[in-house]
Amino acid sequence: MALTENEVKRINVSMPVANDLKIGDILKQLQESTGGEVTVTWADVKNKPSEFAPSAHTHVIADVKDLQAGLDSKLESVKIDDVAGLQAELNSKLESVAVADVSGLKAELDGIKSRLDALEGGGA
């Protein structure tokens, strides 16, 4: 099967060296001149670098097409019952929480108790 013009362009722009040498054009010419498929092995490539060291980099979610929407849809579809044992684990954690562990809870409970005591005393 002959290389299409789009495939030739894609090969040429795949990396700077390929574009400089117009490798896609060369492959298409070879293919047309031999009347068939052209096979190039990695060993056939001359003067290639011995290492392809990756450079450290990061991406924000917006750099990846539709990633945020995909993550959001996963989050919306997960229910606590879907995660094996999560409800039981949450219940056991809640049972071990002391009033003192929750900032401001003691004061809030004391305020509620005072209001209840006032209601009970005022209603008698």
Side-chain angles (χ1 to χ4, degrees):
M1 170 155 61
L3 291 170
T4 66
E5 287 304 314
N6 281 339
E7 290 169 327
V8 169
K9 288 177 188 174
R10 204 170 28 246
I11 291 168
N12 285 343
V13 299
S14 64
M15 61 183 133
V17 171
N19 197 30
D20 291 345
L21 299 174
K22 301 295 183 210
I23 290 175
D25 295 320
I26 293 168
L27 288 174
K28 185 169 174 86
Q29 288 172 2
L30 281 171
Q31 190 177 48
E32 289 170 353
S33 69
T34 61
E37 295 288 323
V38 175
T39 302
V40 179
T41 66
W42 185 243
D44 295 330
V45 178
K46 305 290 186 229
N47 300 320
K48 60 187 176 260
S50 59
E51 289 185 27
F52 297 90
S55 59
H57 66 283
T58 60
H59 292 276
V60 296
I61 287 177
D63 288 345
V64 182
K65 184 180 179 195
D66 298 327
L67 178 57
Q68 187 63 62
L71 291 172
D72 290 345
S73 71
K74 299 288 184 206
L75 183 61
E76 292 166 3
S77 65
V78 174
K79 295 176 181 53
I80 199 165
D81 296 338
D82 295 337
V83 184
L86 185 56
Q87 185 64 57
E89 183 179 343
L90 287 173
N91 289 343
S92 72
K93 298 279 187 214
L94 287 173
E95 291 167 2
S96 65
V97 173
V99 170
D101 294 338
V102 181
S103 177
L105 182 57
K106 176 75 168 109
E108 188 67 29
L109 291 173
D110 287 345
I112 292 170
K113 183 173 182 325
S114 294
R115 289 193 299 268
L116 286 173
D117 287 346
L119 287 172
E120 287 177 354

